[in-house]
Amino acid sequence: MRLKRSIFFSFSIAATLLSNKSSRFSVEAAKHQLCADPHTGAYVGLAIDVDTYDSIPTPESAVYNVTQKWALVEERDDDGPMNSFAGKFLQVEPDLGRSYPEKGQHLKRVDELWQDSPYISFELFVAKAGWHTLFLRWTGGDTIGGGDSLYATMWKGSIAKKHNVVTGQRTLKPIVVAIDSKPSTYAGCCYNVNSHACPCRLEAPPANDTECPNFIAQHQAAHFGIKCPLGPGALEFVRSPEWYLFAGQDVGNLEDFATEPWDATCEADGSNTADSGSDYASWNLEKGLYTLTIFAREDGTAFDGFYFAGPDSDAPHFRTVFATGDSTICNLPIALERGWVRVSLAIVAGLLSMLIVYVIGKQVVNRFCSEENYQQGIVFSSSRSRTATSMYDELEFNCSSSVESEKVLA
């Protein structure tokens, strides 16, 4: 009887573990994967569709005793970004004038972003291999005046694996150096209050110059990490770009999503106040699961959605608009949905555990019911049969060898 209770107890544990796993994974299954639209071949992810992405905040730091994250906010009539698709958009809050990395520092490895930059992530299921190009619908929203920008990155598989970055297309970019580096001869830079770019100048402008009304001297510009071109024709290869910097737009930072509906120009591995605009965020993807991750470079940055063109897709038309629910969620069988795959694995693991317990229990029963045990005077049969020793009174099994039991009694 004790052995029966032990087996039953093992089954109960397996069932409890299975129940706990199912409950846990049902929460994780809230985020849906995105697939290519069968008609356009493109992926669409919208800020308004909150079940299509994860928003991960930055941890508190010694300098900023507050966490920041991409939060869904509503448009305001009096202030802030406007003309979002559905009247709501994602914005890095609270707005403290913070940047990632901190002002005066430059990003060297994409892994550095995991340490303190808030991010949003979308899972993409790629069914057709080839080149994919990213178009962003974003704008500035910084009330401090420090500028707004973001980084776009691609990762193979789950976002939990932080070292599986997918690199983009090889490209060229001008070699830049710190504005105060030697033998630099730059006098300073002209700050643009709209785009937040600060083009370098060899000479300081005259007073009241209309072309450069906001001149920043070299020593001040160096404090903000301004970089300048090394010289005409000085280029370098970016062989495997890990991120793309979106900083500044053609029409400036107007806090209006509609002024530049889809922004594709950026800078591969960029880290300046404004991107060069000479690159496009493109990745050559094989079939499988990927994660598009957008990191904040400065708080206040606003994001409305993305259009990810596949190998056979056209670029989005500037009048292309979307509404709530237009994110291209995968129409997969429920067993293949994110989360349900894990639930299925948990069920299989639970059933295997139960099967193992059953097989072990059966082997123990067969051992006690073997012919060798019968010859020792231990009998397992009906209530009319009893063992020769009272210590086995609690062991009651329905052995199949009832005939053999009668022979022993005889």
Side-chain angles (χ1 to χ4, degrees), residues 14-41:
T16 301
L17 291 175
L18 179 59
S19 175
N20 289 341
K21 288 184 177 180
S22 299
S23 175
R24 173 191 171 197
F25 293 137
S26 65
V27 174
E28 294 184 355
K31 186 176 77 170
H32 297 292
Q33 294 174 3
L34 300 180
C35 287
D37 183 285
H39 303 291
T40 65

Side-chain angles (χ1 to χ4, degrees), residues 131 167-171 238-241 244 268 279-280 282-284:
W131 283 101
T167 56
Q169 187 174 15
R170 189 181 79 160
T171 185
V238 183
R239 303 185 184 280
S240 301
Y244 290 94
D279 295 308
Y280 302 91
S282 297
W283 298 271
N284 189 12

Side-chain angles (χ1 to χ4, degrees), residues 284-301:
N284 189 12
L285 305 180
E286 300 294 330
K287 295 180 180 179
L289 179 65
Y290 295 86
T291 302
L292 171 66
T293 305
I294 297 175
F295 292 92
R297 184 170 182 255
E298 286 146 321
D299 56 16
T301 305

Side-chain angles (χ1 to χ4, degrees), residues 176-180 184-191 197-204 212 215-216 218 221 225-230 272-273:
V176 294
V177 295
I179 192 171
D180 60 344
S184 172
T185 57
Y186 289 102
C189 64
C190 290
Y191 180 72
C198 200
C200 300
R201 290 186 61 126
L202 294 173
E203 297 179 356
C212 183
F215 180 74
I216 301 178
Q218 184 195 80
I226 301 299
K227 289 188 174 184
C228 306
L230 180 61
N272 211 341
T273 54

Side-chain angles (χ1 to χ4, degrees), residues 51-110:
D51 59 343
T52 62
Y53 58 86
D54 286 330
S55 177
I56 308 301
T58 180
E60 293 185 8
S61 67
V63 179
Y64 299 92
N65 296 321
V66 64
T67 59
Q68 292 179 293
K69 67 175 296 184
W70 291 88
L72 190 67
V73 298
E74 294 187 7
E75 287 188 20
R76 299 186 298 271
D77 296 333
D78 57 338
D79 188 26
M82 57 185 177
N83 290 320
S84 60
F85 282 140
K88 294 182 180 181
F89 54 89
L90 284 168
Q91 188 171 26
V92 181
E93 292 190 336
D95 189 352
L96 306 173
R98 184 179 179 183
S99 62
Y100 311 92
E102 295 294 338
K103 290 181 174 62
Q105 301 179 14
H106 294 275
L107 185 63
K108 297 179 180 179
R109 301 187 316 274
V110 71

